[in-house]
Amino acid sequence: MEKAGRGGDGAPRGPVLHIVVVGFHHKKGCQVEFSYPPLIPADGHDSHTLPEEWKYLPFLALPDGAHNYQEDTVFFHLPPRNGNGATVYGISCYRQIEAKALKVRQADITRETVQKSVCVLSKLPLYGLLQAKLQLITHAYFEEKDFSQISILKELYEHMNSSLGGTSLEGSQVYLGLSPRDLVLHFRHKVLILFKLILLEKKVLFYISPVNKLVGALMTVLSLFPGMIEHGLSDCSQYRPRKSMSEDGGLQENNPPAYDFVSASVSGISNTNLGIVKKVMAGNHGGDAAIKTKEPLFQVDNNSKGQEPNDTNQYLKPPSRPSPESSESDWETLDPSVLEDPNLKEREQLGLDQTNLFPKDSVPSESPPITVQPQANTGQVVLIPGLISGLEEDQYGMPLAIFTKGYLCLPYMALQQHHLLSDVTVRGFVAGATNILFRQQKHLSDAIVEVEEALIQIHDPELRKLLNPTTADLRFADYLVKHVTENRDDVFLDGTGWEGGDEWIRAQFAVYIHALLAATLQLDNEKILSDYGTTFVTAWKNTHNYRVWNSNKHPALAEINPNHPFQGQYSVADMKLRFSHSVQNSERGKKIGNVMVTTSRNVVQTGKAVGQSVGGAFSSAKTAMSSWLSTFTNSTPHSLTEPSDGKP
């Protein structure tokens, strides 16, 4: 078989970048023990040195608390090297073995057990597919009982790149191991709450141990978003590791992140003399062009966004540390007058000479923004209408640009990454953690998802109201739950049909998000949007992902029915669904529910004590009451957890 692992220029021809072994040293802690090809080309395969961007790799591959489990699996994301390129997807298989079972025991093995992880670092998000292959090799590697036998790892690298070299990101293999069906069975009606939380770009923390349950639940939720796993995560881990506590003040001195663009709203920098502008092509994500300036440069009050400047000679200064409250669209848009080009022919071809259509002192805010975007391999800056997500989109604009511009997706977070939760350059995150310290820092997140108990703790009362499901949403969630649980008792039919299966569930969420997007484009759409939640839609329209989507045209949505898939007249069934939901969602309702369950239990015990003298009539009453109670305890579990006494 031809070795397809590396091309003639030394670059990997397949999706796998490195095979890495991480071990736990009794004095040094977690460290890289082997890498193929070497993580740093000038070093050897056994070098412990790490690229600065990947300094957290050992702690991600060998998770916190791993010693409590014989084996585990971790999905994690690493930032690109040198600020260029896309997310690096990591899959790690952890195992531990008793030291006395080893055939060859190195001198530095002083503990009773040996803990190691074998990792694959990939350019493609093939989580389940790579995990399946990696688990087999990890098992074989440990069965050797001699960790110096690394030939099997080199063969793994060559085999993966040869077998996955032509792998497409379309198809079911992308979703291998991610089961929305299991997610709905576990979270039931709360799945839609998770979906909307991420649409709003909130800070969402998943919590459970071991890690394989954590990353499985988190990535399965993301798989409900059309195209998200395939093409929506390429910009989801753009962060810089912290060298020391004193580094915060100069985070962007070297290799500035992609969002350090010179930017402002159109009306905010009209008639502005911009001075000297220097284009820089290096040190940005994916080769995107950034606009850098020679000193001295721009200064402007950040509070003047969207208003006319008092001084026409004010300058704009790129924010050194963008605040979480800052408008993300302001990070990437430019006033047309900033980049006036004497070559008007090119401007006319692109249809962008609308800058003269409006008076300089009155530019409508709804005009489409203009984005600086380089042409591939040319370094030429062209003007393109609309915000550019940088993602590979379909005809409907999917995937949404959620995980861009500082909104992170970290399926597993090591304790060493805790500072990212409060980093001002991180505007939000969907992250997973197994360490209880993350869960205790409740003020650093908007919602904590306790996977084991299927609970969603939302601290802000306003956000809870925002996410309170509408009647149509409750019907949609109930429809999913009923179809998933329908054939569950039949071992032969369970999970085999289209309806209620994994692909069917993803299709339902695709219909939901397409209809929601189409509804936002309708005129006089208040009644249509009320089925999705008017306050929710209003909040969503202010998010970065919606503004990017709305700034571009998607003609295919004209064929989509904008009405909620489960719109309709309010019925008795809806009253029962709503009442059940309300009972389960308030503290008072939970107390009433508990009293009712206790009463039912006492009734049963009393019935046994009374015996058969009153038997028939009493038994009928007991059955009727139990049936009535079951409608509240089983049909619709609670979707949101309200902290008792107003405290999270």
Side-chain angles (χ1 to χ4, degrees):
M1 180 182 69
E2 178 188 0
K3 289 191 176 182
R6 302 187 75 78
D9 57 354
R13 297 200 316 214
V16 176
L17 299 172
H18 301 277
I19 302 292
V20 180
V21 175
V22 174
F24 182 81
H25 191 275
H26 67 286
K27 291 183 178 179
K28 302 176 183 177
C30 298
Q31 64 178 9
V32 170
E33 298 180 345
F34 168 83
S35 59
Y36 181 81
L39 294 176
I40 298 178
D43 294 345
H45 298 308
D46 57 352
S47 172
H48 303 315
T49 308
L50 288 166
E52 180 60 29
E53 299 87 349
W54 294 355
K55 64 183 293 184
Y56 301 132
L57 171 59
F59 311 105
L60 294 169
L62 201 59
D64 185 40
H67 60 278
N68 295 319
Y69 303 94
Q70 285 298 114
E71 55 185 333
D72 204 353
T73 302
V74 188
F75 300 159
F76 58 91
H77 293 157
L78 293 173
R81 299 277 295 272
N82 302 318
N84 295 314
T87 298
V88 175
Y89 307 95
I91 297 91
S92 170
C93 286
Y94 158 82
R95 288 195 69 184
Q96 63 175 329
I97 188 175
E98 290 186 356
K100 64 182 181 182
L102 295 175
K103 294 178 181 177
V104 178
R105 180 167 177 169
Q106 285 90 357
D108 59 353
I109 298 179
T110 61
R111 299 164 68 97
E112 294 182 358
T113 59
V114 179
Q115 302 163 0
K116 292 186 187 295
S117 288
V118 181
C119 315
V120 171
L121 302 183
S122 170
K123 295 186 292 185
L124 298 180
L126 300 170
Y127 303 99
L129 189 61
L130 292 174
Q131 175 190 354
K133 294 176 178 289
L134 187 58
Q135 281 179 328
L136 294 174
I137 297 300
T138 303
H139 179 77
Y141 181 55
F142 272 75
E143 285 300 307
E144 291 280 345
K145 295 183 173 58
D146 179 3
F147 295 120
S148 64
Q149 300 298 319
I150 58 175
S151 59
I152 190 174
L153 302 176
K154 295 181 178 180
E155 291 173 6
L156 172 65
Y157 174 82
E158 303 293 349
H159 167 72
M160 281 190 168
N161 275 330
S162 61
S163 61
L164 301 175
T167 299
S168 169
L169 282 178
E170 309 299 332
S172 59
Q173 62 183 357
V174 175
Y175 300 115
L176 185 64
L178 304 179
S179 175
R181 191 168 183 276
D182 291 341
L183 188 76
V184 173
L185 284 171
H186 187 62
F187 280 93
R188 299 175 72 87
H189 300 72
K190 288 166 280 192
V191 170
L192 188 58
I193 305 297
L194 294 174
F195 188 80
K196 284 189 167 184
L197 259 176
I198 296 174
L199 273 180
L200 292 177
E201 298 177 350
K202 295 300 180 182
K203 298 179 178 180
V204 185
L205 180 71
F206 285 70
Y207 177 83
I208 193 178
S209 190
V211 183
N212 65 82
K213 292 183 179 180
L214 174 74
V215 298
L218 189 152
M219 297 308 300
T220 301
V221 172
L222 298 190
S223 75
L224 301 177
F225 292 83
M228 185 62 72
I229 299 292
E230 300 96 312
H231 307 295
L233 301 177
S234 59
D235 197 39
C236 74
S237 62
Q238 304 286 3
Y239 65 86
R240 290 193 60 207
R242 185 168 59 176
K243 292 181 181 179
S244 64
M245 297 298 291
S246 61
E247 191 197 39
D248 288 351
L251 281 176
Q252 62 287 335
E253 301 231 342
N254 298 314
N255 296 331
Y259 47 74
D260 282 348
F261 288 176
V262 175
S263 59
S265 60
V266 170
S267 59
I269 56 176
S270 299
N271 302 321
T272 302
N273 178 14
L274 292 176
I276 302 172
V277 177
K278 178 183 178 183
K279 183 177 68 177
V280 178
M281 296 301 297
N284 294 280
H285 305 320
D288 289 351
I291 301 298
K292 278 239 168 168
T293 55
K294 292 183 179 178
E295 299 180 8
L297 201 59
F298 315 122
Q299 288 183 338
V300 70
D301 186 358
N302 289 335
N303 295 327
S304 64
K305 287 191 295 183
Q307 303 175 357
E308 277 193 90
N310 296 327
D311 185 356
T312 57
N313 291 323
Q314 281 182 315
Y315 295 113
L316 178 70
K317 181 179 180 181
S320 60
R321 287 169 64 104
S323 66
E325 293 81 10
S326 64
S327 173
E328 296 83 24
S329 63
D330 285 349
W331 298 349
E332 55 199 329
T333 55
L334 283 170
D335 177 29
S337 64
V338 173
L339 300 174
E340 288 191 19
D341 192 338
N343 185 1
L344 294 178
K345 291 183 179 180
E346 182 179 359
R347 296 276 298 278
E348 291 171 354
Q349 290 173 356
L350 293 171
L352 296 172
D353 43 19
Q354 71 240 18
T355 54
N356 296 323
L357 295 179
F358 307 104
K360 292 185 178 180
D361 59 347
S362 176
V363 178
S365 60
E366 63 269 13
S367 60
I370 292 176
T371 303
V372 178
Q373 183 85 345
Q375 289 186 350
N377 301 325
T378 64
Q380 298 178 356
V381 174
V382 296
L383 298 178
I384 301 176
L387 302 178
I388 305 301
S389 69
L391 306 176
E392 184 178 333
E393 300 175 353
D394 65 11
Q395 59 184 339
Y396 303 106
M398 301 289 106
L400 294 172
I402 295 175
F403 296 102
T404 59
K405 302 300 178 191
Y407 192 79
L408 305 181
C409 173
L410 303 172
Y412 172 69
M413 282 189 76
L415 190 58
Q416 289 76 7
Q417 294 176 300
H418 185 271
H419 67 93
L420 292 176
L421 299 185
S422 55
D423 193 324
V424 295
T425 64
V426 174
R427 62 185 180 90
F429 53 81
V430 177
T434 59
N435 194 303
I436 195 171
L437 292 177
F438 284 93
R439 189 178 64 172
Q440 291 174 342
Q441 300 284 318
K442 296 182 179 181
H443 63 285
L444 297 178
S445 58
D446 297 312
I448 296 178
V449 182
E450 298 195 29
V451 180
E452 186 71 39
E453 295 83 10
L455 297 178
I456 305 173
Q457 293 187 19
I458 296 179
H459 321 310
D460 181 10
E462 293 302 317
L463 181 57
R464 281 201 298 272
K465 291 179 184 178
L466 212 68
L467 293 169
N468 195 33
T470 64
T471 299
D473 279 348
L474 283 175
R475 292 174 188 156
F476 173 66
D478 199 52
Y479 177 73
L480 295 176
V481 172
K482 285 181 178 178
H483 276 75
V484 167
T485 57
E486 201 168 43
N487 297 321
R488 211 172 151 212
D489 295 333
D490 193 323
V491 294
F492 297 104
L493 296 178
D494 186 29
T496 59
W498 160 250
E499 288 194 0
D502 291 338
E503 292 299 322
W504 179 85
I505 294 171
R506 292 191 188 98
Q508 302 311 306
F509 276 93
V511 169
Y512 182 92
I513 190 66
H514 289 162
L516 174 56
L517 289 166
T520 63
L521 300 178
Q522 302 297 310
L523 299 176
D524 299 325
N525 58 1
E526 288 82 0
K527 188 176 186 305
I528 298 176
L529 293 181
S530 65
D531 283 331
Y532 300 97
T534 305
T535 55
F536 163 76
V537 174
T538 301
W540 180 44
K541 284 185 175 181
N542 289 325
T543 63
H544 173 71
N545 72 80
Y546 180 82
R547 288 202 303 269
V548 171
W549 179 88
N550 191 49
S551 67
N552 295 280
K553 303 297 181 183
H554 307 287
L557 275 177
E559 302 175 3
I560 300 296
N561 183 356
N563 293 309
H564 195 292
F566 288 84
Q567 67 160 351
Q569 295 295 323
Y570 202 73
S571 65
V572 175
D574 294 323
M575 293 176 63
K576 176 182 175 182
L577 200 61
R578 173 63 64 186
F579 181 68
S580 174
H581 177 79
S582 299
V583 165
Q584 293 291 341
N585 268 317
S586 66
E587 282 300 313
R588 181 177 297 176
K590 290 176 190 175
K591 292 177 181 177
I592 293 175
N594 291 334
V595 169
M596 292 165 68
V597 171
T598 303
T599 302
S600 176
R601 189 182 301 115
N602 292 336
V603 166
V604 172
Q605 293 173 352
T606 304
K608 291 179 180 178
V610 170
Q612 297 183 357
S613 57
V614 222
F618 195 85
S619 179
S620 299
K622 180 188 69 174
T623 302
M625 185 173 185
S626 298
S627 175
W628 182 71
L629 287 172
S630 67
T631 63
F632 302 109
T633 57
N634 296 329
S635 63
T636 308
H638 56 285
S639 296
L640 296 175
T641 299
E642 181 179 356
S644 57
D645 302 324
K647 297 180 181 179

